[in-house]
Amino acid sequence: MNQNKLFRGTRVRLALWYALVMGSILSVCAFGVYRAVFRAHVVALDSEIESVAGTLHDSIEFKLRQPGSLEPVIQELSPNINLCRIGASCTQQQSDTKRHFLGVVNKDHYYVRFFDTSGRLIATAGNYPEGLSNVFSNEKWSFLKDSKGNDYHQNSLVLHTPDNGDWGYMQVGRSLEEFNRYLDSVKLSLGLGLPIAMGMVAVASWWLAGLAMQPIYQSYRQIQQFTADAAHELRTPLAATGATVESALLMSQMDEEETRDILRTIHRQNQRLITLVVDLLLLARLDRQHLPVQLEECCLNDIVNDLVEEFEAMAIAAGVMLQSRIKVNEPVNIVGDSDQLYRLVSNLIVNAIQYTPKSGKVTVSLGCSDHHAVIRVHDTGIGIPKKELTRIYDRFYRVNSDRSRNTGGSGLGLAIVQAIVHSHHGSIDVQSEFGKGSTFTIKLPFNARPINSVHSISIWKMLYKSSRK
């Protein structure tokens, strides 16, 4: 398939489109996963900051007496907070291990700022970053950056005195370094995983494109082979007819006998062309599943007996014994197309006679099982090699092409047989041993109806009758 430019280009385009679509889907999914992770961590971070800020607010507010003045009792409430008043020297106090009420603020990633009612920074606590803007903002949530470019997320709360007066503001902030590191790892994972996934998708796309196009390519090859074989089969009688006409034209005079010989040759080649065209037309119509059906009750006993009688002269001329064996006492009737069934059995009989040497025997038997009528054509002919059994139903295929050409076969007989059997929802089986003969077994269900109808079988009957005269 890759040697054919048309299919190779189509496979490449199909694989590219598939990879593009899957890549787009994966990219959208990766972005969605990142946004979901980001949102989940932001919500968790906000909840954590809000919890810490609320705990500090509730612990400090009831001890505040004067607006803008931090009471000494605040340091006693949380000895772990390194409270640093603006304008005063800040020293690290000894931690009291018996009190850990607000010790979370002393962690590396938290800081606290106190502002008076005018927005002036009064004091800081915790791990206060350097270079952080001291410009007051009363927004409840805000994002800040220090002089080193580190990110912080901050929550602002209003502080009141016991008499419900405004004391000032408290801001609790948290470093986003850990949060950003986690997001960077998520980005790295997605950034590395997406190209790897895209590479796997590309490989899978190429494989799937080839897998999907394999049946199409096989059909294309069959059509190519069919066209080449049909052209070859048509060329032979046309060339013979042309050569006969040319030789006649070169003769200055022809007597009556020569004229008759030339006309007989042309007629014979013409009959061969008509037979080939009718067979091709029959196969084409059998391939079309939607044609209307003309159903009728067909008696297989009559079909078998009539055909054995009809081809008896042909068998005698070939030195072959042709006989029928009806294994049932009552008529075997099925619903189907009688013309197609006529063609089905006659093709098998003709094949058996042509491939059976002199003094051989061809037996056509009819029986039935629980749900099927069984037609069996057995011969003692040359048989079919095992390696050829899978190809005998291919169009224009011949096990012995030289002998088939001499007997006038086109290689379409068994293909037509198989198509007719399938149109009647039946099955065909062949058992053969090379040099000892073959047995074709046809099973046709009693209640099946053919899926198409062919009206050109009568032409085929006329051709056989005319060829026997």
Side-chain angles (χ1 to χ4, degrees):
M1 182 168 61
N2 289 329
Q3 281 70 36
N4 188 290
K5 291 184 179 180
L6 174 63
F7 281 89
R8 184 172 63 251
T10 304
R11 184 180 183 183
V12 169
R13 288 192 296 271
L14 186 61
L16 286 177
W17 275 109
Y18 183 82
L20 180 63
V21 171
M22 288 302 299
S24 301
I25 294 174
L26 288 176
S27 299
V28 171
C29 291
F31 179 76
V33 169
Y34 175 78
R35 292 299 302 173
V37 171
F38 177 82
R39 181 61 184 167
H41 279 73
V42 166
V43 171
L45 187 64
D46 288 351
S47 298
E48 180 185 326
I49 296 174
E50 196 169 22
S51 176
V52 172
T55 302
L56 281 172
H57 176 274
D58 295 342
S59 302
I60 293 175
E61 187 177 46
F62 76 96
K63 292 296 182 179
L64 298 174
R65 301 302 178 188
Q66 297 182 1
S69 174
L70 288 171
E71 307 299 332
V73 72
I74 294 178
Q75 187 65 33
E76 296 176 3
L77 280 173
S78 182
N80 289 329
I81 297 180
N82 184 19
L83 187 65
C84 180
R85 293 178 173 82
I86 302 302
S89 59
C90 299
T91 58
Q92 180 67 41
Q93 301 180 10
Q94 296 295 325
S95 297
D96 186 357
T97 56
K98 295 180 180 180
R99 308 185 70 182
H100 302 283
F101 187 56
L102 299 178
V104 69
V105 184
N106 200 39
K107 291 183 178 180
D108 293 340
H109 42 261
Y110 272 99
Y111 69 87
V112 181
R113 298 196 296 184
F114 296 93
F115 293 85
D116 59 16
T117 54
S118 63
R120 181 175 61 88
L121 182 63
I122 299 176
T124 62
N127 186 27
Y128 188 71
E130 297 180 1
L132 195 66
S133 174
N134 292 330
V135 178
F136 174 73
S137 174
N138 59 358
E139 293 182 3
K140 182 174 178 60
W141 292 101
S142 58
F143 287 93
L144 303 176
K145 279 185 179 290
D146 63 9
S147 58
K148 298 180 180 179
N150 299 320
D151 295 317
Y152 296 86
H153 194 31
Q154 179 178 274
N155 180 237
S156 299
L157 297 173
V158 180
L159 294 174
H160 299 88
T161 59
D163 57 358
N164 206 25
D166 291 338
W167 181 92
Y169 302 93
M170 180 184 69
Q171 293 180 339
V172 177
R174 187 188 194 283
S175 171
L176 299 182
E177 182 180 359
E178 181 183 355
F179 176 69
N180 289 337
R181 272 202 310 268
Y182 179 78
L183 288 183
D184 289 340
S185 66
V186 173
K187 290 179 183 178
L188 181 62
S189 299
L190 293 176
L192 293 177
L194 189 59
I196 295 175
M198 287 296 298
M200 297 175 64
V201 166
V203 174
S205 300
W206 180 256
W207 178 72
L208 288 175
L211 193 65
M213 292 185 64
Q214 195 64 35
I216 302 175
Y217 181 71
Q218 292 295 334
S219 299
Y220 172 77
R221 293 289 299 169
Q222 290 177 359
I223 291 173
Q224 275 191 325
Q225 187 65 39
F226 177 79
T227 303
D229 292 340
H232 181 74
E233 293 295 332
L234 290 170
R235 183 180 61 183
T236 302
L238 289 174
T241 302
T244 302
V245 173
E246 287 181 3
S247 62
L249 292 175
L250 292 176
M251 294 181 183
S252 58
Q253 292 182 351
M254 288 188 297
D255 55 24
E256 183 178 351
E257 187 62 28
E258 289 177 336
T259 303
R260 287 185 177 275
D261 289 341
I262 292 174
L263 290 177
R264 277 194 291 268
T265 301
I266 295 175
H267 177 71
R268 185 169 58 251
Q269 298 301 330
N270 184 63
Q271 291 295 103
R272 185 176 177 181
L273 281 174
I274 293 176
T275 302
L276 181 59
V277 171
V278 170
D279 286 347
L280 292 174
L281 178 62
L282 174 59
L283 284 171
R285 290 185 175 180
L286 285 171
D287 288 340
R288 296 170 61 186
Q289 304 285 323
H290 59 278
L291 292 179
V293 179
Q294 290 185 348
L295 301 176
E296 59 182 330
E297 190 176 57
C298 305
C299 180
L300 296 182
N301 305 61
D302 295 339
I303 292 176
V304 170
N305 288 329
D306 291 346
L307 286 173
V308 169
E309 182 181 351
E310 181 176 346
F311 287 105
E312 187 174 0
M314 180 180 178
I316 293 174
V320 175
M321 179 185 297
L322 176 63
Q323 62 181 4
S324 63
R325 183 178 299 171
I326 308 299
K327 299 180 180 180
V328 290
N329 297 324
E330 297 180 355
V332 179
N333 297 322
I334 67 170
V335 176
D337 189 310
S338 60
D339 287 342
Q340 290 186 20
L341 295 174
Y342 181 95
R343 181 67 185 273
L344 165 66
V345 180
S346 63
N347 275 13
L348 292 176
I349 294 175
V350 170
N351 269 9
I353 294 174
Q354 290 178 346
Y355 287 98
T356 300
K358 289 184 178 182
S359 70
K361 182 189 295 185
V362 175
T363 304
V364 183
S365 59
L366 174 64
C368 62
S369 61
D370 293 337
H371 304 287
H372 296 84
V374 181
I375 301 173
R376 186 172 286 109
V377 179
H378 172 73
D379 65 70
T380 58
I382 62 175
I384 305 171
K386 288 185 178 180
K387 63 179 181 180
E388 308 285 348
L389 287 175
T390 58
R391 301 190 59 191
I392 60 175
Y393 301 110
D394 294 348
R395 299 175 184 184
F396 295 110
Y397 182 76
R398 303 180 182 86
V399 176
N400 189 334
S401 59
D402 293 335
R403 182 168 181 178
S404 296
R405 291 185 187 279
N406 293 333
T407 55
S410 63
L412 295 175
L414 290 180
I416 293 174
V417 167
Q418 185 186 51
I420 294 175
V421 170
H422 288 171
S423 74
H424 285 75
H425 306 283
S427 62
I428 181 170
D429 178 64
V430 58
Q431 294 179 348
S432 182
E433 187 174 352
F434 188 67
K436 294 186 178 181
S438 304
T439 301
F440 286 84
T441 303
I442 307 295
K443 292 184 178 180
L444 301 173
F446 291 117
N447 57 350
R449 298 186 174 188
I451 56 179
N452 50 37
S453 179
V454 178
H455 307 289
S456 60
I457 309 291
S458 56
I459 301 177
W460 181 86
K461 290 182 181 179
M462 294 172 58
L463 288 173
Y464 263 97
K465 291 180 180 179
S466 62
S467 63
R468 293 175 58 199
K469 293 180 181 179

